[in-house]
Amino acid sequence: MKAEWQEFASGQKLADALADTVAERLEGAIAARGTAVIAVSGGSTPPPFFKALSRRKLNWARVTVTLADERFVPSQSGRSNARLVTQNLLQNDAARAGFIGLYHNREDVEAAAEMADRAVGALPLPLDVAVLGMGTDGHTASFFPDAENLDELLDPAGDRHVLPVHAPSAVEPRLTLSMPLICNARLVALHIEGADKRKVLEAALAQDEGPMPPIRTVLENAVSPAHIYWAPKKDAKP
Ligand SMILES: O=C(O)[C@H](O)[C@@H](O)[C@H](O)[C@H](O)COP(=O)(O)O
């Protein structure tokens, strides 16, 4: 399995380089097809990248931003990825982009996922860019190793665009883009920082038996070799 590893001296240098690459891909998509679609992840790592990307000069009105995954919470919640993206990415030049969230105020996460499935399925697919994070348990998007429906989540041949997730380690129910949707993105970029996550990823890539960490399944099924962006944690001793 091929993946391109890129290392940066700091999180800010990584954020600027990733923003440059993503902006180029979005511009290329607009030039080729008139539109661009990007899926981004939540968590504590992305904000410097979001802020850098929000200032890139491109035809943002032709760009649709969606989420790789979402907690089953309304956008007013501090746990909401839609809120994180609105506050950090959909600002400055990028304020003109369209946004398709995954959360819907329905009776359960299954009903919300069906609505999100239709909305994401109506986008001009495949994704041009999918920017993923990773947890120290090897999850990415909301493919949690302890998810009740992990086999369905990791199925590279499924026909859903968005799936519900129930996983004890996920705090609340989740909504996630499906494996085929993420793996068929024209660019899959994995953004991770810190020595712990580097060790987790290296172990996942070296593992040759037993249940594979979800991040390994994604990298193995990515149609275009994934680009891995790594930097030490900002408070790391030089
Ligand atoms: O909703 C989420 O939390 C993310 O989409 C999730 O998959 C995230 O990328 C990892 O959990 C890493 O999170 P950190 O960046 O906070 O380590």
Side-chain angles (χ1 to χ4, degrees):
M1 170 208 54
K2 286 192 299 296
E4 187 187 308
W5 178 277
Q6 298 184 63
E7 198 164 313
F8 298 87
S10 71
Q12 189 55 54
K13 287 186 169 59
L14 183 158
D16 292 336
L18 181 54
D20 287 343
T21 298
V22 167
E24 277 165 30
R25 291 299 186 105
L26 296 177
E27 284 173 325
I30 293 165
R33 292 174 291 278
T35 59
V37 185
I38 175 174
V40 295
S41 293
S44 59
T45 303
F49 157 64
F50 287 163
K51 291 184 171 79
L53 182 59
S54 77
R55 291 188 171 80
R56 292 302 185 273
K57 305 288 180 198
L58 55 100
N59 191 348
W60 282 103
R62 295 296 187 93
V63 178
T64 301
V65 178
T66 188
L67 294 167
D69 68 333
E70 178 62 285
R71 296 80 182 275
F72 186 51
V73 295
S75 58
Q76 299 84 346
S77 163
R79 294 274 302 157
S80 164
N81 288 341
R83 183 171 184 265
L84 182 81
V85 167
T86 301
Q87 291 182 339
N88 292 277
L89 175 52
L90 303 178
Q91 301 289 327
N92 307 313
D93 291 88
R96 291 183 293 124
F99 179 68
I100 297 286
L102 303 185
Y103 173 80
H104 292 274
N105 182 14
R106 294 297 303 274
E107 63 277 16
D108 57 30
V109 69
E110 283 72 19
E114 281 172 20
M115 286 187 74
D117 189 79
R118 287 194 291 276
V120 171
L123 291 173
L125 299 173
L127 298 171
D128 293 291
V129 179
V131 184
L132 302 175
M134 188 194 75
T136 51
D137 61 355
H139 86 261
T140 189
S142 282
F143 305 147
F144 288 90
D146 62 347
E148 291 169 8
N149 52 336
L150 187 59
D151 288 346
E152 182 186 15
L153 292 176
L154 298 185
D155 179 4
D159 59 3
R160 286 286 293 263
H161 299 107
V162 179
L163 288 165
V165 182
H166 294 279
S169 62
V171 180
E172 59 277 283
R174 298 284 188 107
L175 300 128
T176 190
L177 292 191
S178 63
M179 180 66 73
L181 200 62
I182 288 172
C183 292
N184 285 304
R186 293 184 174 94
L187 169 66
V188 175
L190 174 63
H191 177 192
I192 56 172
E193 296 186 18
D196 290 351
K197 289 190 180 183
R198 180 173 189 152
K199 288 193 186 77
V200 167
L201 180 61
E202 288 172 341
L205 297 178
Q207 187 173 322
D208 54 17
E209 59 185 14
M212 291 296 160
I215 187 60
R216 167 77 177 266
T217 308
V218 169
L219 295 178
E220 280 190 335
N221 286 282
V223 169
S224 307
H227 293 216
I228 301 169
Y229 284 73
W230 181 82
K233 268 269 181 244
K234 50 183 169 302
D235 52 4
K237 303 286 174 285

